[in-house]
Structures are given as structure tokens and as C-alpha cells.
Amino acid sequence: MTVNTQPGSQAQSQNSQPLPADEQASTWLFGYGSLIWKPELPFIRAHPARVDGYVRRFWQGSEDHRGTPESPGRVVTLVPDYQGQCFGVAYLVSNIEIEQTFAQLDHREKNGYTRLTLDLNLGSDAVLTDEKVVAGITYIADEYNEAYLGQAPIAQIAKEIFHSVGPSGTNTEYLLELAQALRDRVIDDPHVFALETEIRTLLNQS
Ligand code: SIN
């Protein structure tokens, strides 16, 4: 895995305000997929977060969690989009626990993801304005990894998800859990909700 981040002082505010005490020796991690509904992290607190310049897409293959090498499932990654935004959850992790957390996440996300440092908007209103911007680390699977599947029509992606299962469970469960977690947090994501609609149709037909 290529690692382009260093643990440590990631939780520095890029604004001039002093950092709250619990952010002074901590690192922000950004989750936008299973890390929203199944974080399994030793976090101090969680905060809604927005990243700009990316959108969430079911374009990454999953050969180890929600599919197999012979029949990969599909999971989300962040795809660069100049005008795009992705809403998710930022987790504040103590630097005492960050190395172990990275080791666990590196293993969990080993099928094509690498760490990337991004600006996280943690504004206090619904759209998370940039009143508070911090550096945060996320796991992203780019188009050059071997498991990458890329773009396809929504109906085709839904069928692939519907028929995939791996050691962590069905791919359908991953999609429905993510859709519900976004709905619970009042996060709109037309890509995810279009897939959810297709999957529910397939479930009703089966
Ligand atoms: C994430 O949740 O932030 C990464 C992708 C995933 O594990 O689903």
C-alpha cells in the first residue's frame, strides 16, 4: 500500500482559532462509506464533515469483503469531481491510538485503498460551511488500483451488487446500510439512493 500521510499533528485548524483541547494531540479521519455505519474506531468524538472536489461512487471493486476475486462486489470510493462535494463523518482519534488505528484500517481497506490527506469542512450549519477547516485522513481507491471497476450504468452496478457476496456479507447489505446511514444524517446522495431504489426493486422481484 502506498501511504502518503504521516500521523501526528493532522488536527491542526487551518483557521486562526485556537484548537479545542481534545484536538491538540489528535488526528481527524474521514469516513464516507462503511466507515460511516461501521466505524470500529477508538474515536474521541465524531462530527459531520464535507470534502470538496470529490463525489462518492460505487466504482471500487471488492474482492475481499463484499465479493470474491472471481466475482467482485462494488464498494464506494471518492472520485475527483471539480464541482463535487461528499458529505460523511469525521472521527477524532487520539494520537496515542492512531498508529494502531491505521494498522487496523490499512488491513480493512487493503483491497485498493491508500491514505490521502484532505481538507475537511466541519462547519456548524447544515451545509458545513468552511468556518472550520481541518486536515483529515481518508482512504481512497483511485482508478489505478487493480480492483478498480469504474463507471457503469446504475442498473448494471445494482445487478452486480445484488449478486455479490463476500467474507463480510452481502454487497446488498453494504449498500442498504450506507443508504440508511446517509438518510439518518440527512445527507443527500443521488448516486447511492438511485442504487438503493434499483436494489429494492430487485429484492421485490426475487
Ligand atoms: C470509507 O468508508 O471511508 C472507505 C470506504 C469503505 O470502507 O467503505
Side-chain angles (χ1 to χ4, degrees), residues 24-38:
Q24 286 177 12
S26 308
T27 298
W28 285 105
L29 301 181
F30 178 69
Y32 57 90
S34 67
L35 289 176
I36 296 181
W37 54 271
K38 195 181 180 186

Side-chain angles (χ1 to χ4, degrees), residues 30-35 76 109 113 139 174:
F30 178 69
Y32 57 90
S34 67
L35 289 176
V76 286
E109 307 291 337
Y113 292 83
Y139 282 77
Y174 176 103

